[in-house]
């Protein structure tokens, strides 16, 4: 009997029993209960106002619901209508992708370059320049100033300037001409893009360990570009990821600027985006099931784009 007990103990030491996943989670909860307790208010709010609405939106996308009648299950009908019968959604999808592909990377790179340059300045000058660059993002509806710049009469700044130079003879209706609308909105979005990502990059650059730079110089790093690629960027990978998520979300969810500058809807839907299409069906037509399908498609695009960005950022410094 004693030999069997000893043999079992030795066997447990050599081949310890694996804990179940649930047991491992429970052990972790007990070990770090204070941290989870402090996180609980935020997690409760996040779950209530983010997770539950997303789940309900996903479920509702399979129903017809007009806010008056009880939801009626229609299966994939909303999605088939969206991709096969809704020509306006195809225009919105194209505009959104063009907008995101151009403004997303450009604004992301611009945020980092400006943050990198400003970080080299003295602390007082750095604080002042940070405020200057960040000001448009915290000034509310300051982008309405662009309505004056691109006004369609002779009093618009751009028209007046071009007429004075002799480039044009008659004013151009910038915000009602479908050839110019999307480009103008991209320009305004880039002007506003130095926001949270810019601050995150400034903070990340401040936390780079200077001893790594000194060690890199000993190991053969010869210029600032090599220092940037092999030391600075890998050291601030969390800030790079945060900035990428913010820029992707901002470029794919653009709506306020298009409505303010181009109207709702814009001329021939030239500035129509997925979010404005969602607002059309959700807040005007009250087709909540169809609007939920649009929101689910947009959510899937954002998730896929974030996954691709994560894969790219993992290669930084390699």
């Amino acid at each position: 009997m004693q030999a069997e007990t000893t043999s079992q103990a030795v066997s447990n030491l050599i081949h310890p029993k694996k804990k179940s996943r649930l047991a491992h989670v429970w052990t972790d909860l007990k070990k770090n209960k204070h941290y989870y307790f402090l996180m609980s208010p935020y997690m409760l709010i996040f779950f209530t106002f983010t997770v539950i609405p997303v789940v309900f939106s996903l479920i509702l996308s399979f129903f017809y619901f007009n806010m008056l009648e009880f939801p009626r299950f229609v299966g994939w009908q909303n999605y088939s209508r969206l991709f096969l019968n809704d020509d306006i959604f195809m225009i919105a999808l194209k505009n959104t992708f063009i907008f995101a592909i151009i403004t997303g990377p450009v604004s992301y790179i611009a945020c980092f370059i400006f943050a990198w340059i400003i970080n080299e300045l003295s602390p007082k000058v750095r604080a002042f320049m940070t405020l200057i660059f960040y000001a448009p993002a915290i000034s509310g509806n300051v982008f309405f100033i662009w309505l004056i710049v691109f006004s369609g009469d002779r009093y618009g700044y751009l028209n007046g300037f071009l007429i004075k130079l002799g480039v044009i003879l008659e004013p151009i209706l910038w915000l009602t001409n479908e050839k110019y609308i999307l480009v103008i909105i991209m320009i305004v979005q880039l002007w506003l893009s130095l926001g949270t990502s810019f601050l995150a990059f400034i903070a990340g650059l401040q936390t780079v360990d200077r001893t790594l730079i000194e060690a890199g110089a000993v190991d053969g790093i010869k210029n600032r570009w090599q220092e940037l690629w092999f030391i600075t960027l890998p050291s601030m990978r969390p800030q790079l990821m945060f900035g990428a998520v913010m820029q992707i979300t901002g470029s794919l969810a653009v709506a306020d600027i298009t409505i303010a500058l181009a109207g709702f809807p814009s001329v021939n839907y030239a500035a129509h985006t997925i979010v404005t299409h969602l607002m059309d069906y959700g807040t005007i037509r009250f087709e909540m099931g169809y609007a939920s399908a649009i929101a689910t498609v947009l959510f899937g695009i954002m998730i896929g784009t974030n996954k691709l960005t994560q894969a790219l950022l993992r290669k930084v410094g390699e």
Side-chain angles (χ1 to χ4, degrees):
M1 185 68 179
Q2 185 176 1
E4 290 180 1
T5 305
T6 305
S7 175
Q8 186 176 1
V10 172
S11 177
N12 289 336
L13 289 174
I14 298 175
H15 304 289
K17 292 183 180 180
K18 292 184 178 180
K19 287 185 176 181
S20 66
R21 190 176 184 84
L22 186 61
H24 181 74
V25 170
W26 179 247
T27 303
D28 185 67
L29 285 173
K30 289 194 297 184
K31 182 180 179 182
N32 303 302
K33 58 184 178 181
H34 299 94
Y35 302 112
Y36 288 109
F37 177 76
L38 293 174
M39 290 170 57
S40 59
Y42 168 78
M43 294 304 298
L44 182 62
I45 294 173
F46 176 76
F47 186 81
T48 303
F49 294 102
T50 302
V51 176
I52 292 178
V54 168
V55 173
F56 268 93
S57 177
L58 178 61
I59 296 172
L60 195 61
S61 67
F62 295 98
F63 289 81
Y64 171 79
F65 182 42
N66 60 6
M67 300 285 288
L68 297 175
E69 302 172 339
F70 191 79
R72 185 176 73 252
F73 182 76
V74 293
W76 295 96
Q77 183 177 324
N78 287 328
Y79 291 98
S80 63
R81 173 188 169 192
L82 190 64
F83 288 103
L84 301 178
N85 300 320
D86 193 343
D87 295 334
I88 306 303
F89 175 73
M90 291 294 106
I91 296 174
L93 190 64
K94 182 194 72 173
N95 290 340
T96 301
F97 274 122
I98 292 173
F99 190 88
I101 290 171
I102 295 176
T103 62
V106 171
S107 60
Y108 184 76
I109 294 171
C111 283
F112 181 80
I113 290 176
F114 283 122
W116 189 35
I117 295 172
I118 290 174
N119 187 62
E120 300 297 319
L121 303 175
S122 62
K124 290 184 179 180
V125 178
R126 183 195 309 142
F128 177 74
M129 293 302 297
T130 300
L131 177 61
I132 294 297
F133 277 88
Y134 186 61
I138 59 176
S139 300
N141 295 330
V142 71
F143 57 81
F144 279 114
I145 193 175
W146 292 93
L147 289 173
I148 304 174
V149 175
F150 293 106
S151 178
D153 52 28
R154 291 177 178 269
Y155 298 101
Y157 292 163
L158 184 57
N159 275 334
F161 180 71
L162 294 177
I163 291 174
K164 187 175 182 180
L165 291 179
V167 177
I168 60 175
L169 298 177
E170 295 293 333
I172 297 176
L173 301 175
W174 299 102
L175 299 176
T176 56
N177 191 323
E178 56 186 288
K179 293 191 299 183
Y180 305 116
I181 291 176
L182 196 60
V183 176
I184 291 172
I185 293 173
M186 288 180 186
I187 292 172
V188 177
Q189 177 64 24
L190 289 173
W191 180 68
L192 291 170
S193 62
L194 294 179
T196 308
S197 303
F198 173 71
L199 291 184
F201 293 156
I202 288 283
L205 289 166
Q206 292 290 308
T207 60
V208 175
D209 190 353
R210 306 301 298 182
T211 59
L212 293 177
I213 298 176
E214 296 172 2
V218 174
D219 290 338
I221 289 180
K222 300 177 181 179
N223 53 57
R224 294 297 302 273
W225 295 109
Q226 290 181 340
E227 175 190 309
L228 174 67
W229 181 255
F230 292 107
I231 296 177
T232 304
L233 292 179
S235 298
M236 53 180 297
R237 193 171 277 132
Q239 289 82 10
L240 292 176
M241 180 58 64
F242 175 77
V245 171
M246 297 300 295
Q247 293 300 120
I248 289 170
T249 304
S251 61
L252 288 174
V254 63
D256 292 341
I257 298 175
T258 64
I259 294 172
L261 298 182
F264 184 54
S266 55
V267 177
N268 290 332
Y269 298 98
H272 207 58
T273 64
I274 296 178
V275 176
T276 55
H277 200 59
L278 169 62
M279 294 170 63
D280 183 13
Y281 281 91
T283 63
I284 297 177
R285 309 188 193 200
F286 293 106
E287 295 187 28
M288 304 307 295
Y290 193 65
S292 295
I294 299 172
T296 302
V297 170
L298 179 60
F299 180 72
I301 293 172
M302 287 184 175
I303 292 295
T305 310
N306 282 325
K307 290 293 183 183
L308 178 61
T309 305
Q310 289 178 19
L312 293 174
L313 288 178
R314 289 193 192 99
K315 297 181 179 180
V316 171
E318 293 182 358

